[in-house]
Amino acid sequence: GKPASHVRVSLFPSFSPTEKQTDSEGRFVLTFDPNQLGPMGSVPPIVVARDLDRNLAVALDLEEGASNASVRLEPALTFAGRITDTNGKAISNAQAQVLFHTERMVSQLGSPARVNAEGRFEIKGLPPGRHYNVAASAKGFGQEQRDVEASITATNQVELEPFQLMPADQRIAGVVLDDNDK
């Protein structure tokens, strides 16, 4: 029940999610254009607050037209996993990115997590009970994604199956022609 300072706060859906931090009294201000989705229509925004140090988070669905929100942090979800090549060897430059699902969009949530020497990563401070994707990638390799349904995330820890990235060692080249074969 106390104000939480230095908590990361974002608003979704958004084409360019921007995190703000709460002040010493737990206050924040986010800007939202309800028309940003254009022909996709109006979608009620979701406030996501994440305290990574204490592993607390919440995603609050706002009522249409709301301009104020009281956000109460709860124990957060953590994704853990390992990223390797097809031989099971850790990829030292790999990273994992969380994608947060809203009603009509999927957006990045936070910064990518880097792996340790064993290829393991951990992503803390995720609101539980939500739908996510986790994308694993590394320079010189392809990408692999895992869909994590909301029913699976209603817990504190999810250990993902290992990601095995294929080497991106093939090339393709060609010529693009216009309708006159030029």
Side-chain angles (χ1 to χ4, degrees), residues 13-159:
S14 177
F15 291 109
S16 58
T18 304
E19 286 186 336
K20 303 281 184 156
Q21 280 199 345
T22 59
D23 65 16
S24 61
E25 296 179 10
R27 291 188 168 94
F28 64 92
V29 175
L30 298 168
T31 306
F32 178 68
D33 176 2
N35 299 315
Q36 76 178 353
L37 298 179
M40 288 174 51
S42 176
V43 176
I46 301 170
V47 173
V48 175
R50 303 171 66 213
D51 184 337
L52 302 180
D53 293 334
R54 298 185 305 158
N55 200 26
L56 301 170
V58 69
L60 177 67
D61 294 277
L62 297 177
E63 297 291 325
E64 190 170 330
S67 61
N68 277 312
S70 292
V71 180
R72 183 174 299 275
L73 296 170
E74 303 170 346
L77 168 67
T78 299
F79 286 147
R82 186 163 188 257
I83 304 173
T84 68
D85 64 14
T86 54
N87 296 318
K89 182 180 175 208
I91 302 173
S92 62
N93 65 335
Q95 61 185 20
Q97 175 69 58
V98 172
L99 304 168
F100 180 78
H101 286 249
T102 62
E103 186 177 325
R104 296 184 190 164
M105 288 183 67
V106 178
S107 300
Q108 291 182 0
L109 179 60
S111 301
R114 296 234 172 259
V115 297
N116 64 15
E118 290 83 38
R120 293 205 48 82
F121 67 87
E122 191 173 74
I123 303 170
K124 293 183 172 188
L126 302 172
R130 296 292 179 149
H131 184 182
Y132 297 96
N133 282 80
V134 178
S137 62
K139 187 173 183 175
F141 290 86
Q143 184 181 45
E144 189 176 341
Q145 281 195 34
R146 293 279 185 307
D147 189 50
V148 188
E149 295 290 336
S151 60
I152 297 170
T153 68
T155 182
N156 288 10
Q157 174 102 12
V158 172
E159 181 71 32

Side-chain angles (χ1 to χ4, degrees), residues 171-177:
R171 294 186 58 187
I172 187 164
V175 176
V176 178
L177 303 174

